[in-house]
Amino acid sequence: MRIQDFSIICLSVAKGAGTRDLLSGYVYTQKFFDNFIKTATSQKVLPLVSNVIADANCQKFCIKNGIDVSGIKPPKHFVARNIHLKAQLQQIDTALEGTNIKPVLLKGAIQLFDGLYCAFGMRNMADIDFLSTDTKLLQVLGDLGYSINGKGQENKVDEDANTILNSGGSHLTPRVRVNDLVHLEPHFLPVSPMYMDVIPKAFETETLPLPGCDNLVQPTLVNHLIHVLVHTLKHDRDTLDGGISVRGLIDCELIYEKMTPEQKLFTEQYFTNNNAKNLWISWRSLSDWVFRDAKSAIYNSFGSFFLIAEFKLRSLGYHWVFMIAFFNRLMRLFNYKYWTTKVYRKHAKRLVKRDFWDRILSKFKAVVSLSLIHI
């Protein structure tokens, strides 16, 4: 299955299309479903693919022909998981009663209260991100039983004993709690310092109420798209395990489709005014190529060509994910913002840690192993 066809199926499910005919035209085999689930895992869209496989006709065929699809959890699993995550945040919201602390939920956490997807549980997440520069929030989390991950190190403090960001970072050390499914990631900056010039200066103060919450808030729709877009096409491409994912592109597309024509025009103009017009053009081109099979979109600009080529290569397997991420890391050395925002200090500290090199070595071995298989 082409990555475009896979992406179109996932977006259709996210928007509420019936699942019955989404796999029509494909030959159902064990290998087909194994690859389908494998792609869903790498592209972070397991809940969407779970809904497709859970279709009654698909289930009947698999049972009749002895096809094993137990490698993916049923939709109710993801619903139950998100109910748990929502309860975590509701407890924090209650604990903030009587304070002036107003954390801004980011990315997937917003979907737990004000969803873009057609059904609850369709957007999976590995952690809960929120933005707040009020250090008193950490005390509230501590009172609720959250503590630093055993492998993590506490952030620096200033002369007044207030927690501050480590050089080049955007978030504090994650907080964990026994029996919770994911950790909390408290942000002081919505994205890496390298990309803060694209984020609106009033991001933390220009907010909207969050349905069902009194103290947790969300960004405006325009700011939400700007943040998710920068995170998907900039921040995620630098991580060794990450890259542009179908989930990130679906998030961007659903936010964009929710906007009024005026909001779309305003957002496009915002990117132009902030020297990020190429990012906007590249994203719209990638979106057209992925979700509308617009083959000519790759020629819209140099940025479009490289972004689409990178996304396509990443979809071919883990060895490409690692190699492209490694290449992007090297290219960052030639970006003056990498040095002026002191992000290099954050990475330099990792170079002296053995677990960092252990990770690199294990990933390199995996790349070599996969490459030999394909020879």
Side-chain angles (χ1 to χ4, degrees):
M1 182 185 293
R2 299 185 312 157
I3 189 61
Q4 299 101 306
D5 297 328
F6 176 84
S7 303
I8 291 170
I9 288 172
C10 291
L11 180 61
S12 298
V13 175
K15 294 168 68 173
T19 57
R20 182 172 183 175
D21 299 320
L22 289 179
L23 293 183
S24 61
Y26 293 98
V27 179
Y28 288 4
T29 63
Q30 184 66 60
K31 184 177 180 180
F32 170 82
F33 281 103
D34 288 345
N35 289 335
F36 196 38
I37 295 172
K38 181 179 178 181
T39 303
T41 303
S42 64
Q43 297 297 334
K44 305 178 181 179
V45 288
L46 278 173
L48 297 176
V49 168
S50 173
N51 276 270
V52 176
I53 294 179
D55 177 81
N57 289 333
C58 182
Q59 286 289 320
K60 288 179 182 178
F61 183 92
C62 289
I63 294 173
K64 181 179 179 180
N65 293 275
I67 295 176
D68 181 15
V69 290
S70 61
I72 188 169
K73 302 289 186 182
K76 63 181 180 181
H77 165 83
F78 299 101
V79 172
R81 176 184 171 87
N82 278 8
I83 289 174
H84 186 111
L85 302 187
K86 185 174 182 178
Q88 272 186 259
L89 287 171
Q90 287 173 324
Q91 187 182 36
I92 295 173
D93 181 68
T94 301
L96 292 173
E97 194 67 40
T99 71
N100 293 320
I101 306 172
K102 299 289 182 182
V104 185
L105 296 192
L106 302 173
K107 303 186 297 176
I110 300 172
Q111 312 303 319
L112 297 171
F113 297 91
D114 195 2
L116 296 165
Y117 291 69
C118 71
F120 190 78
M122 283 191 171
R123 209 290 191 176
N124 200 22
M125 60 202 78
D127 56 19
I128 294 176
D129 298 273
F130 55 82
L131 172 71
S132 177
T133 52
D134 193 330
T135 57
K136 293 191 294 293
L137 175 59
L138 300 180
Q139 180 59 50
V140 174
L141 295 180
D143 293 341
L144 290 174
Y146 290 95
S147 60
I148 294 174
N149 187 310
K151 296 181 180 180
Q153 296 181 348
E154 183 54 277
N155 291 82
K156 296 179 180 179
V157 295
D158 60 19
E159 56 186 14
D160 297 320
N162 292 317
T163 302
I164 58 176
L165 276 177
N166 293 329
S167 295
S170 61
H171 62 80
L172 304 179
T173 306
R175 264 59 181 175
V176 297
R177 188 173 62 174
V178 177
N179 296 326
D180 280 342
L181 299 177
V182 302
H183 64 256
L184 305 179
E185 200 163 88
H187 284 252
F188 270 18
L189 298 175
V191 294
S192 167
M194 281 185 64
Y195 311 123
M196 279 302 295
D197 57 335
V198 189
I199 301 296
K201 291 181 173 56
F203 185 90
E204 189 177 357
T205 55
E206 286 184 356
T207 58
L208 297 173
L210 204 61
C213 293
D214 297 319
N215 302 291
L216 300 177
V217 296
Q218 63 178 317
T220 64
L221 195 60
V222 169
N223 286 353
H224 190 185
L225 177 59
I226 293 171
H227 174 250
V228 174
L229 186 55
V230 172
H231 202 281
T232 300
L233 299 187
K234 290 290 189 180
H235 180 93
D236 283 354
R237 292 169 67 197
D238 292 334
T239 60
L240 294 178
D241 296 310
I244 310 170
S245 67
V246 171
R247 186 189 68 181
L249 294 178
I250 288 177
D251 284 351
C252 292
E253 197 66 16
L254 292 178
I255 299 170
Y256 186 69
E257 291 184 3
K258 189 176 179 179
M259 286 179 161
T260 65
E262 293 75 20
Q263 288 174 318
K264 292 178 180 178
L265 184 62
F266 176 87
T267 309
E268 180 178 0
Q269 190 61 48
Y270 173 87
F271 277 89
T272 301
N273 295 341
N274 286 273
N275 300 314
K277 183 177 181 179
N278 288 335
L279 179 62
W280 179 268
I281 294 175
S282 299
W283 167 56
R284 291 313 304 155
S285 300
L286 175 60
S287 185
D288 286 340
W289 185 86
V290 171
F291 297 123
R292 284 166 280 281
D293 206 12
K295 296 179 177 61
S296 61
I298 196 171
Y299 304 113
N300 287 350
S301 67
F302 283 113
S304 303
F305 177 86
F306 287 113
L307 201 62
I308 292 172
E310 178 179 325
F311 178 74
K312 188 174 182 178
L313 283 174
R314 283 181 182 271
S315 71
L316 296 179
Y318 178 75
H319 53 299
W320 282 108
V321 172
F322 177 78
M323 292 170 66
I324 292 172
F326 191 75
F327 175 77
N328 285 340
R329 281 285 180 93
L330 289 178
M331 292 304 296
R332 266 208 312 197
L333 299 177
F334 300 96
N335 187 335
Y336 75 94
K337 294 178 185 177
Y338 180 72
W339 305 98
T340 58
T341 58
K342 301 180 180 179
V343 172
Y344 72 92
R345 292 187 180 180
K346 173 185 175 182
H347 294 153
K349 291 178 180 178
R350 295 178 181 173
L351 296 179
V352 298
K353 295 182 179 181
R354 180 174 177 175
D355 63 337
F356 172 77
W357 291 107
D358 288 341
R359 285 179 59 216
I360 294 295
L361 182 60
S362 66
K363 293 177 187 300
F364 181 74
K365 287 180 178 179
V367 169
V368 172
S369 176
L370 286 170
S371 298
L372 292 175
I373 291 175
H374 288 288
I375 293 177

